[in-house]
Amino acid sequence: MEKQPLVYFLCTGNSCRSQMAEGFLKALGGDRYEARSAGLEAHGLNPRAVRVMKEAGVDISSHTSDVIDPDILNRADYVITLCGHADEHCPVIANPNVMKWHWGFDDPAKATGTEEEIMESFRRVRDAIQVRIQTFLAEGK
């Protein structure tokens, strides 16, 4: 079997956005890509992210919050940062063949207000990530 291209999604804490992106790529393009995610730090899997992904039919409850692994970083085909902090502080990628992109999304974990307003923020970010993953898949990259 041919090796699937590896997409490594990076965020600050690997708790929300990168987890959602990994979940959507596995669900929508897992037959074409290997998806992983990590953070500059490991903040744990955000329960609201798990909840909104479940609403979208994607179960990320078994995901783990991981710190960036230099070996995975340098063997990835695509490294995609999902927040400005991760983009600015991403470790140096030694492999010149790695495609590095930045897809910026607001951090739903910083949302304030009622529980429903916070959940709405998570849903907005989830839906934006889903659209971006669908575009990535449609473009074949």
Side-chain angles (χ1 to χ4, degrees):
M1 184 174 150
E2 190 177 317
K3 175 190 164 293
Q4 294 177 319
L6 171 59
V7 181
Y8 204 25
F9 295 105
L10 304 180
C11 227
T12 300
N14 191 219
S15 67
C16 298
R17 293 165 286 185
S18 52
Q19 294 284 354
M20 290 186 217
E22 177 186 356
F24 276 128
L25 187 57
K26 283 180 174 176
L28 302 173
D31 57 329
R32 296 167 42 202
Y33 294 92
E34 178 185 354
R36 304 284 294 268
S37 69
L40 299 172
E41 305 161 358
H43 292 173
L45 187 57
N46 188 300
R48 290 181 177 121
V50 173
R51 225 171 21 227
V52 299
M53 288 299 286
K54 189 172 196 143
E55 292 173 3
V58 179
D59 182 7
I60 63 168
S61 63
S62 64
H63 286 199
T64 58
S65 181
D66 303 311
V67 174
I68 296 169
D69 180 323
D71 292 332
I72 297 172
L73 184 71
N74 285 295
R75 74 175 171 83
D77 296 281
Y78 301 92
V79 170
I80 302 172
T81 56
L82 302 171
C83 67
H85 186 255
D87 187 39
E88 293 165 14
H89 296 90
C90 182
V92 173
I93 301 169
N95 181 347
N97 297 318
V98 174
M99 298 275 301
K100 183 178 179 291
W101 294 335
H102 175 65
W103 301 346
F105 297 99
D106 291 336
D107 186 355
K110 291 186 176 173
T112 59
T114 66
E115 181 61 21
E116 190 49 40
E117 289 167 337
I118 294 169
M119 289 300 289
E120 226 12 80
S121 178
F122 272 83
R123 289 182 188 106
R124 270 193 308 277
V125 172
R126 174 204 62 201
D127 294 347
I129 291 171
Q130 181 178 17
V131 167
R132 190 61 193 90
I133 295 291
Q134 289 168 328
T135 302
F136 174 85
L137 291 169
E139 293 173 351
K141 57 178 179 172

